Amino acid sequence: MKVLPVLDFTIIGIYLIGMILVGFYFSRKNKSAEQFTMASGLIPGWAIGLSIYATFLSSNTFLGVPGKAYGSNWNAFVFSLSMPLAAWIAVKYFVPFYRNTGEISAYTHFEKRFGPWARTYAVICFLLTQLARMGSVFFGIALSLQALTGVSMKMIMLIMGISIILYTVSGGIKAVIWTEVVQGIIKTLGAILIIYLVVTNIPGGFTKIMDIGKADHKFSLGSFSLNFTEPTFWVVLFYGFFINLNNFGMDQNYIQRYHAAKSTKQAAKSVWLCVGIYVPASFLFFVIGSCLYAYYSQHPDLIISLKHQAAVERLPVTATPAQVAAMMAKLTPADYGDKIMPHFMVTKIPAGLVGIIVAAILSAAMSTISSGMNASATVFTVDIYKRYFKPQLNEKQTLNLLHIGTVVFGLAGMGAGIAMIGVKSILDLWWQLSGIFAAGMLGLFLLGIISRQTRNHEALIATLIGLLVILWLTFPTIIPDEYAALRSTLNTNMIIVAGTLTIFLTGIFLTKTRQLTVTPIN
């Protein structure tokens, strides 16, 4: 590992200090819980749109998408293609719904609709999702910076986590949104810069990249067969639609921004602005992956060190050189795809420009983590502490609890990131975890707003059945070998699809059954 030049460290340091100063600037105006969580509803729609875009485009995208495109193809881009339909539903139904409720928490209405159990269940699912998201993003930061500095991934997560906590705690949602506006611009410009640098290092430029990509089927969107056991086009499309529906309709990160907007119209515009930027931006990261694949296809000797690093991470510290060599021989491009872009930055990008790109990667990570910290602290304060422990908190106590919650969830996110060291793919891990935790939450939400006749006990039974289905899909090996035929063979991306539909359709079925069996009074 080579150490970054002073110029690059200076650029990164200026960026980090700038983000922290933004937090302290807005801390002067954070005198109430409403200002900390909703910015008093005074943020313009364009800023919220860039903020939502920045939250979507995390380091999972910045590192995971190029790694995925390098290791396989453009199948994951179908996720982005599913966004417009989910956004249309969110703008038409979800945004007005939340603006009309006036509740800062996305999950308060669950209790009003089905009782305390529903609210608690949704909150637990959300907090687990946030830990998975923040953990995978922390891991993405550490993965890239370790390649540049040689500093341990754990130390990198600690340093970066403290920086993020400082500006998120001090500045609240205003600091989160306005830093994300800057971060969204930086990370997009960083992607364009990377494409330029990779292309200029390949003799033949884009023409050669296209030739290599076509020859190795790197631009495929996946099989169009109706096979739900593999990540086909349709599996990723369905997954993307349901997860984006969950993001726009159930995720506290986004619901909080709807409330921060000046009006319902501005909130709706922010959703469309996010989609309008994210889809072409995600395309850029798939282009980066294909460009890197072409470059390393021409320089296969450079892959050896990456294979060695990936093999060492998968083996115990006591592994012998022979065991490492055997592991290296088994690795495929998908196993070390996430390490490709950091390696290119170390070896081919000149001093000064590396600092700018690292700042872009940090922007991608920090925007998502700061949103997760603020949203998790808000949910914990409103839906757990004030609901079950001390409902009569005064303004100062509530604000202090929000600060403490932000710190605690930031530290928990770091812990989750440390636990993820050595995973095969950041993007695969995040997709699997988010699908598991979001499935039940979205199904229950849709049941509540679409079927107004569904009662509490019917929703509870539907949710329990849905959870069993989710467990069956997630852990097929819990079924004994003698009943192996009963194990699920569905692709893990179908968990959120099957889980959501199971809860929703079971709830509808139970409601209709009750209505049909009720004897009319003459």
Side-chain angles (χ1 to χ4, degrees), residues 253-292:
N253 287 284
Y254 307 104
I255 309 310
Q256 223 163 306
R257 284 163 175 72
Y258 301 160
H259 289 297
K262 294 181 178 180
S263 65
T264 300
K265 186 177 181 180
Q266 289 289 307
K269 283 184 177 179
S270 71
V271 174
W272 284 120
L273 179 60
C274 166
V275 174
I277 301 175
Y278 182 85
V279 174
S282 66
F283 173 80
L284 292 179
F285 287 97
F286 282 95
V287 171
I288 290 173
S290 297
C291 291
L292 289 171

Side-chain angles (χ1 to χ4, degrees), residues 90-105:
V91 167
K92 188 172 179 61
Y93 299 105
F94 298 160
V95 173
F97 171 79
Y98 286 113
R99 292 282 302 188
N100 290 335
T101 65
E103 300 283 356
I104 182 59
S105 169

